[in-house]
Amino acid sequence: MMPLSRLAGILIPAMAFLSYLRPETWKPCTEVVPNISYQCMEVKLYKIPDNIPSSTKNLDLSFNPLRHLGSHSFSNFPELRVLDLSRCEIQIIEDDAYQGLNHLSTLILTGNPIQHLAPGSFSGLSSLQKLVAVEINLPSLENFPIGHLKTLKELNVAHNSINSSKFPEYFSNLSNLEYLDLSNNQIQNIYRKDLQVLHKIPLLNLSLDLSLNLIKFIQPDAFKELRLHKLTLRSNFDSINIMKTCIEGLAGLKVHKLVLGEFKNERNLDTFNKYALEGLCNLTVEEFQIAYFDEFSLDDIGTFNCLANLSAISLVSLYVVNLEKLPKDFRWQSLELINCKFEQFPSLSFYSLKTFVFTANHYSNTFVEFELPSLEFLDLSRNGLSYRSCCSQADFGTTRLKYLDLSFNDIIIMSSNFLGLEQLEYLDFHHSNLKQASDFSVFLSLTKLLYLDISYTNTRVTFHGIFHGLESLKILKMAGNYFQDNFLPDIFTELTNLTFLDLSTCHLEQVSQRAFDSLPRIQVINMSYNKLLSLDILPYQHLHSLQVLDCSFNRIKASNIQEPQRLPSNQTLLNLTQNDFACVCEHQSFLQWVKTRKRLFVEVEQMVCATPSDMQGLSVLSFRNSTCQMSKTVISVSAVFVFIVFLILVLVYKFYFHLMLLAGCKRYGGGECTYDAFVIYSSQDEDWVRNELVKNLEEGVPPFHLCLHYRDFIPGVAISANIIQEGFHKSRKVIVVVSQHFIQSRWCIFEYEIAQTWQFLSSCSGIIFIILQKVEKSLLRQQVELYRLLNRNTYLEWENNVLGQHIFWRRLRKALLAGKPWSPEAAADTENKEPEATASI
Ligand SMILES: *[C@@H]1O[C@H](CO)[C@@H](O)[C@H](O)[C@H]1NC(C)=O
Ligand SMILES: *[C@@H]1O[C@H](CO)[C@@H](O)[C@H](O)[C@H]1NC(C)=O
Ligand SMILES: *[C@@H]1O[C@H](CO)[C@@H](O)[C@H](O)[C@H]1NC(C)=O
Ligand SMILES: *[C@@H]1O[C@H](CO)[C@@H](O)[C@H](O)[C@H]1NC(C)=O
Ligand SMILES: *[C@@H]1O[C@H](CO)[C@@H](O)[C@H](O)[C@H]1NC(C)=O
Ligand SMILES: *[C@@H]1O[C@H](CO)[C@@H](O)[C@H](O)[C@H]1NC(C)=O
Ligand SMILES: *[C@@H]1O[C@H](CO)[C@@H](O)[C@H](O)[C@H]1NC(C)=O
Ligand SMILES: *[C@@H]1O[C@H](CO)[C@@H](O)[C@H](O)[C@H]1NC(C)=O
Ligand SMILES: *[C@@H]1O[C@H](CO)[C@@H](O)[C@H](O)[C@H]1NC(C)=O
Ligand SMILES: *[C@@H]1O[C@H](CO)[C@@H](O)[C@H](O)[C@H]1NC(C)=O
Ligand SMILES: *[C@@H]1O[C@H](CO)[C@@H](O)[C@H](O)[C@H]1NC(C)=O
């Protein structure tokens, strides 16, 4: 027989070869969304794949050596919306290459060394909105065959070798064009006639980016009466004088937003001269942004005179000095200072400013008060600021503030409870280091606040009134903080409008039963990354609107949440991934419930067992409840078995001697009795036994043969064995000599108890009691059984007078005679044996 490994060695390469031959089984593309989205990036395709569903809408074919696009290349994909052909080494695009793609809205051709672009290349693309033709060797816009793409909104022809600013005639057809990126080309001169066609486009709302073209000349009036949405000129000038004349050349332009400056890595100007901006006075600009000039001093107000009437100013990555010196009556409504350098925190004072964004700046470590009476929006995030007394109206000089972002700063001391800032709707402190936030009701006056973020602020919640006053609050984020004793107390009582609550990473172990009672509108509760051991601690009854409960990354073993009244709503999505589920029979009803209500859970396959060890890492869905039924039976059967064995052992232990007796009875059952009576007595009474009992009974007529331990027990055998084998088994009767000593001796009582069993088992039975001396009643009562027997049976009492003794012996003999086999042989036998027995003592 052929060994398996050899068979596999032949079959596997053969199958691989076959599958290579059949293209439909060879699928190099990744299915991102079935039938909709396919990703075939860098899989060495030489032609358009034909094994992808025709319903595909997104197709990424980038980084494949396609090289040549013939006509109707994509006729198999009439539904395409997005087609990415980046870096496909395409050199030739034939007529009608994209014919049939009537729904295509985005076409990406970046990085193809196109040499031949047929005039009808883009025909048929009747819905195209975005064309990315970056780095495609385009020498000019003139012969770019896109004149019919009337739906085009965005055209990116950056990084080509266009050397003319001439907008060809066909632009008059592109009436929807909103964005044209001509950056990184070789445009040097801009003439009025080049831009003529733009005047013909009705409702032109174009954003034009000309960055990174080394511009030498702009004809004055070139932009006159042109209306643009945005014009970007960054890193365009290699001298400050050229910059100045070019800005003057923009005179007459009406532009919503003008962006000037350089790029971090593309610096052409050595120094920046404020006079370069003088030409801005002849432009109509609403928003102005300037970025990456080395030193941007505002010491001379003249520089900014032309900017006084702007509505929005944005300064990015500049070294700014003397911002405070600007006059208070500038009309700016919005000021943005991003990633700038300052000598100190700028103490501003503008009457009109409504929005102030001061973020990611340097050298401004301590907050200084400012005076902005119209301010509504304030973003002071990411400055490493320390703030000695936050926050009140005096700090910002406004009572209109609605938005305040102080996130990612340094220490912020909460010492004032937002006095005069009652209009606040949005307040963000996350990743700053809050002090004293939990000492009093800091937010008490913020009755209009809708959003509060104090995540990761090092806050330790000890005061239960911390959120008092926030009656409008909808979103509360407080992840990454601490609670006293890791216990979530009842602190949300006034937040009746809350819809979103983030309590993740708060080290929570326990939750107050009433914590969520007052949150009827809550939709999302995030308790992930805590240390909860059970879901049952969460009170859900009142959470009628809950949509998502995220308890992932906790230590939950199981839950009773499956009880219908405990589940907040049948629409709630539960995220219980990454917990420590115990997949044991004890929790089988929970596990079974998870299986039947799979749709309630997020990524139910990610809910894995932590215990027992053989289930570790397996999904809770793989738990089989049948094993429980079996093990239940096994457990109960073995429990009963163990109990019985135990019982038997106890009984054996307790009645060991009785059993020995029983075994003996079987053995000797039919045998002859050697002795007439076995005498049980206390050794203290031995004198009486020797002198009275033995003498009278063994030497009388007829003689009785007594079993006496001092005489008849076999030496070398355990006393108990002797008692049973010699005493009881070989005797017809038992004589019990009751006395004070007898009652007090454990051995005697033991012998007496055995005697009772013996009497019970043996047919030739009879216990004869002799009361040797009066025993105290109280002592006798301790031996309940004996006491009862003595009460019920007649017994012999030893008397000290002669008459009494005479009667005693007669009665005793009579009792012993009862049942004695009376045959002459036996009598003779006994008589013969008698001396031997006596002699053997
Ligand atoms: C994908 O399309 C094929 C054929 O049109 C169809 O049979 C299949 O069910 C679709 N698959 C999905 C996930 O929609
Ligand atoms: C633009 O480049 C073409 C060649 O590609 C050249 O003939 C033409 O003179 C250039 N125009 C300018 C203004 O540099
Ligand atoms: C503008 O569109 C019309 C109609 O689609 C077309 O006939 C004309 O050639 C286009 N103009 C240019 C310059 O392509
Ligand atoms: C102009 O275009 C910009 C986007 O480029 C858009 O935000 C703005 O609303 C548009 N304006 C008009 C009037 O269409
Ligand atoms: C504004 O334009 C006029 C002519 O159009 C010109 O005389 C004046 O110098 C320009 N002002 C600035 C600051 O460039
Ligand atoms: C700003 O507007 C005011 C009032 O409309 C006007 O007097 C002033 O000349 C304007 N300044 C500039 C630089 O346009
Ligand atoms: C709570 O929200 C409701 C509906 O959004 C709104 O009508 C009500 O005024 C809010 N209550 C408070 C105290 O803001
Ligand atoms: C809960 O918080 C964690 C950690 O911050 C986050 O990853 C997760 O997306 C959040 N869940 C929800 C439902 O917002
Ligand atoms: C969910 O609960 C609503 C009422 O609260 C009920 O009408 C609906 O049928 C339930 N849906 C399921 C799938 O149980
Ligand atoms: C839990 O599931 C929700 C809902 O899908 C999701 O938003 C959240 O990010 C998940 N949590 C984590 C920690 O991934
Ligand atoms: C085990 O699961 C089945 C359904 O999969 C269910 O019908 C049965 O009642 C379960 N048994 C126990 C003991 O829960």
Side-chain angles (χ1 to χ4, degrees), residues 49-50 289 318 366 382 384 446 485 540 582 684 745 762 771 791:
D50 52 8
Q289 184 176 66
L318 302 174
T366 309
R382 296 171 198 270
L446 300 180
D485 303 325
Y540 304 100
Q684 306 265 2
S745 159
S762 158
I771 304 289
N791 269 350

Side-chain angles (χ1 to χ4, degrees), residues 65 74 137 146 190 220 271 282 319 336 370 379 407 434 503 551 567 675 679 702 743 770 788:
F74 300 94
N137 260 346
I146 57 170
I190 299 175
T271 56
N282 276 349
Y319 181 50
E336 250 180 20
F370 44 71
D379 180 356
S407 57
L434 283 193
L503 282 164
C551 284
L567 195 65
Y675 305 107
V679 187
I743 305 274
I770 297 171
R788 245 193 310 160

Side-chain angles (χ1 to χ4, degrees), residues 337-479:
L337 298 167
I338 300 170
N339 195 26
C340 291
K341 283 185 188 171
F342 293 89
E343 265 149 18
Q344 68 205 38
F345 187 86
S347 173
L348 294 181
S349 177
F350 286 116
Y351 295 142
S352 57
L353 209 60
K354 286 186 180 165
T355 300
F356 183 32
V357 176
F358 182 88
T359 182
N361 295 302
H362 311 282
Y363 300 115
S364 53
N365 290 335
T366 309
F367 175 79
V368 180
E369 294 174 5
F370 44 71
E371 177 78 22
L372 300 169
S374 304
L375 200 66
E376 291 177 3
F377 184 106
L378 177 58
D379 180 356
L380 289 173
S381 61
R382 296 171 198 270
N383 295 308
L385 270 181
S386 55
Y387 202 143
R388 273 193 227 103
S389 167
C390 173
C391 301
S392 75
Q393 178 229 340
D395 298 337
F396 317 119
T398 176
T399 54
R400 300 189 185 174
L401 207 60
K402 287 186 174 167
Y403 181 107
L404 176 58
D405 185 350
L406 279 164
S407 57
F408 291 99
N409 279 298
D410 200 27
I411 294 175
I412 297 177
I413 301 175
M414 307 296 286
S415 58
S416 143
N417 56 4
F418 298 91
L419 221 63
L421 297 176
E422 289 81 8
Q423 303 300 318
L424 268 178
E425 291 176 358
Y426 181 103
L427 183 55
D428 191 349
F429 285 107
H430 75 278
H431 287 93
S432 291
N433 195 348
L434 283 193
K435 300 280 183 207
Q436 303 174 11
S438 177
D439 290 2
F440 61 106
S441 298
V442 242
F443 308 113
L444 193 62
S445 51
L446 300 180
T447 51
K448 294 188 178 170
L449 201 70
L450 301 173
Y451 181 103
L452 175 62
D453 190 347
I454 55 166
S455 307
Y456 299 95
T457 51
N458 236 337
T459 301
R460 184 173 199 93
V461 179
T462 49
F463 175 55
H464 291 194
I466 178 170
F467 298 125
H468 280 177
L470 297 172
E471 54 191 54
S472 304
L473 199 68
K474 290 196 164 163
I475 297 177
L476 174 58
K477 299 183 178 177
M478 53 183 309

Side-chain angles (χ1 to χ4, degrees), residues 34-35 53 55:
N35 287 358
S55 54

Side-chain angles (χ1 to χ4, degrees), residues 523 525 546-551 569-576 598-603:
Q523 291 172 1
I525 298 181
L546 196 64
Q547 288 166 6
V548 178
L549 176 64
D550 191 347
C551 284
S569 133
N570 57 12
Q571 305 297 316
T572 304
L573 204 55
L574 297 168
N575 191 342
L576 297 180
K598 262 184 251 175
R599 268 186 295 135
L600 284 179
F601 297 91
V602 178
E603 293 184 41

Side-chain angles (χ1 to χ4, degrees), residues 752 756 781-790 792:
Y752 156 71
Q756 273 190 300
R781 279 217 181 89
Q782 288 172 6
Q783 295 299 326
V784 184
E785 201 59 26
L786 183 61
Y787 176 72
R788 245 193 310 160
L789 264 170
L790 289 180
R792 245 189 287 131

